[in-house]
Amino acid sequence: MRQTNRPTPPEFVPKLVTVLREGYGLAQLRADALAGLTVAIVALPLSMAIAIASGVGPERGLYTAIVGGFLVSMLGGSRFQIGGPAGAFIVLVAACVAATGVSGLLLATFLSGLMLIAVGALRLGSYIRFIPYPVTVGFTAGIAVIIFASQLRDLLGLSLTAEPGEIVEKIPALWAARGSISGAACAVAALTIVVILGVKRWRPHWPGMLLAVVVASGVVFALGLPVDTIGTRFGALPSHLPAPALPDLSVAAVMQALPWAASFALLGAIESLLSAVVADGMTGRRHRSNAELVAQGVANMGSALFGGFCVTGTIARTATNVRAGAVGPISGMLHALFVLGFMLLAAPLAAYIPLATLAGVLAIVAWNMAEKEEAWALIRASRADAMVVLVTFALVVFRDLTTGIVVGCALGGAVFIRRMSDAASLHQPEDPLEERPGLDAAASDLVVCHLRGPFFFGAAARLGFVLDQIADTPRGFAVDFTDVPFIDSSGARSFELLARKTARKGGRLFFTATNADVRAMLHSHGLRAPYVTYLPDLAAVRAVLAQAESPESSARH
């Protein structure tokens, strides 16, 4: 029998392979090394803080950043994704540890990796993008509130024999312990926050979180302040990676871990692909969602083998990677190696880090996660979007994350159905998105995209595919809204990303024939002049471009 070697489908080829094929030299390596070092400096205190908040030892956060971060970058479908422990998982991980112990957490992490690989292999990654934007804003804000609440104990130095996990029970317990507030702990936490905010304001390119940890630790050591540290609560950190070991795979253990694994996989898929989309918006690149999910799966399995927990793409560290000038995935791989080097060389020093300092770091993380502007824009945009945001937020905070996402998506679907029925008399959609650039063959510098039918969160996902077919943004990009009765917040968000990309490429974006409701939704997402020019029809667009080309206009400029 003759064997044939089938090539790997392009959607599963890691971006590392793509970058190396394009040509990778010393200059690119230097840029990636600098970016990797910058991200590692951010990841070092953050990984330990997230691990402690999740109810496990700080060393497990480092294991997760090292093993998971390396595998995500090496195998992933994004050039700039940074993997590691994420604040979004704190709630789930803490609950899993409370219910199953650390051994159950490792097994759930391992099984979630298998699930993510299956989701990616079945090419289901593209469906994650159909989660409505108000749902993502609602659950992100809810997670931020829970993270902040989980840090109040160490922020205030409260003495508690047992801290409840549910926020409804946590707040009364913390209030009951208010008499044990430590002035030293409050001062250390406040110092940490002030240093982080001060560095961000006056020296934004400096590693504010690491500097805050160093300064606060030095103050506590020099003054002998009576505050809990990593050493007093957890002992000395190990200075090496543990030997890999399989978790308990007995039937009883697997059945107990499966619900947690499914939650980890769902949240990991959402968080990692959102992070990849953020990187796309910052760089104009396009990630491979299915390759990214497979990489996330392998990373979670690898993390569990070495004693780590859930790995996902991290938005803040990925954005830091992009801003630091990363060229490709090697920066993420080097970030993991730098964290390993820090652990090997400086593990004894970590014992002096105050827990109040790490709580201050996570308080800043929670504040930045909350997406306050986005939530307020959605609440003002429409009652339906406000309902989805607020219900998702409330369920995440007072129930659990999975329920919040499921109910939020159901509400988003119900809102969509209602809007479809209201719009049925206006237009019977055939194809939500139709691209006909041939209409402007005589003007090669103008591309026209005609939209047909209501432009909702499902149709918004297809806009990316149309943009991928356009190699270089032309001088003019016109979107015709003649046949669009309404647009939802997810659709408006996609055009916000399009406006940024067009501006970076030096092009002009025109919206034509927008009705009052469509324009109001676009305005609520910041799509105004000078980023977008609103005109009545395509003839007006051509007239504006022709006027810009006229000799008189050239002379004035």
Side-chain angles (χ1 to χ4, degrees), residues 48-49 89 101 137 145 153 164 236 273 275 280 337 364 371 375 387 439 470 546 556:
M48 292 189 289
F89 278 89
V137 172
V145 169
R153 174 185 178 182
L273 295 186
S275 178
D280 290 347
L337 296 179
I364 295 293
E371 297 189 355
M387 177 186 66
L439 291 177
I470 304 171
R556 286 196 299 269

Side-chain angles (χ1 to χ4, degrees), residues 99-100 103-105 107-108 111 247-260:
T100 66
S103 61
L105 171 64
L107 178 57
L111 295 177
D248 179 14
L249 295 174
S250 65
V251 175
V254 169
M255 295 305 295
Q256 186 183 27
L258 271 178
W260 299 105

Side-chain angles (χ1 to χ4, degrees), residues 23-36 325 327-328 330-331 334 338:
Y24 192 86
L26 186 59
Q28 290 83 359
L29 177 60
R30 186 182 300 110
D32 278 340
L34 182 59
V327 175
I330 290 177
S331 66
L334 291 174
F338 282 130

Side-chain angles (χ1 to χ4, degrees), residues 171-255:
I171 298 302
L174 294 173
W175 178 253
R178 63 188 182 278
S180 62
I181 289 179
S182 167
C186 292
V188 171
L191 174 63
T192 302
I193 293 172
V194 168
V195 171
I196 293 174
L197 296 179
V199 171
K200 182 179 180 180
R201 178 176 178 83
W202 303 110
R203 292 291 185 271
H205 299 295
W206 289 12
M209 289 185 178
L210 183 63
L211 288 175
V213 169
V214 172
V215 170
S217 301
V219 169
V220 169
F221 178 78
L223 300 180
L225 296 179
V227 297
D228 287 340
T229 64
I230 288 179
T232 59
R233 185 175 295 183
F234 300 99
L237 290 184
S239 58
H240 57 82
L241 282 175
L246 278 172
D248 179 14
L249 295 174
S250 65
V251 175
V254 169
M255 295 305 295

